[in-house]
Amino acid sequence: MCSPIVAGFNGDTFLGPSSFRLKYLDPYADAARTWLHREAEVVDTTHLTPAQAALRIAEAVRSGRGR
């Protein structure tokens, strides 16, 4: 899970690399492994445009999967 996120943080051409974001990566990953995946519909947006991500989320909400 973390390597695409780390690559995104390090390759961020808008904000640049961020040690602040990397500092909180492990706590976020821990949360995701426990309550987040249990309580939420997780949408992998790794290879989606913002518009595609919005459509995927909207479909999850329409179908009742989104909470």
Side-chain angles (χ1 to χ4, degrees), residues 2-66:
C2 293
S3 59
I5 295 172
V6 171
F9 288 168
N10 288 333
D12 187 336
T13 58
F14 185 72
L15 296 176
S18 171
S19 60
F20 175 83
R21 291 185 286 177
L22 293 174
K23 177 180 173 183
Y24 293 98
L25 187 60
D26 288 334
Y28 179 80
D30 291 342
R33 281 190 291 275
T34 57
W35 65 269
L36 185 59
H37 283 253
R38 182 178 65 242
E39 297 294 328
E41 173 78 15
V42 177
V43 177
D44 181 1
T45 61
T46 305
H47 301 290
L48 301 178
T49 66
Q52 291 169 325
L55 289 172
R56 179 94 37 105
I57 293 165
E59 177 54 35
V61 171
R62 271 195 298 275
S63 71
R65 293 189 323 266

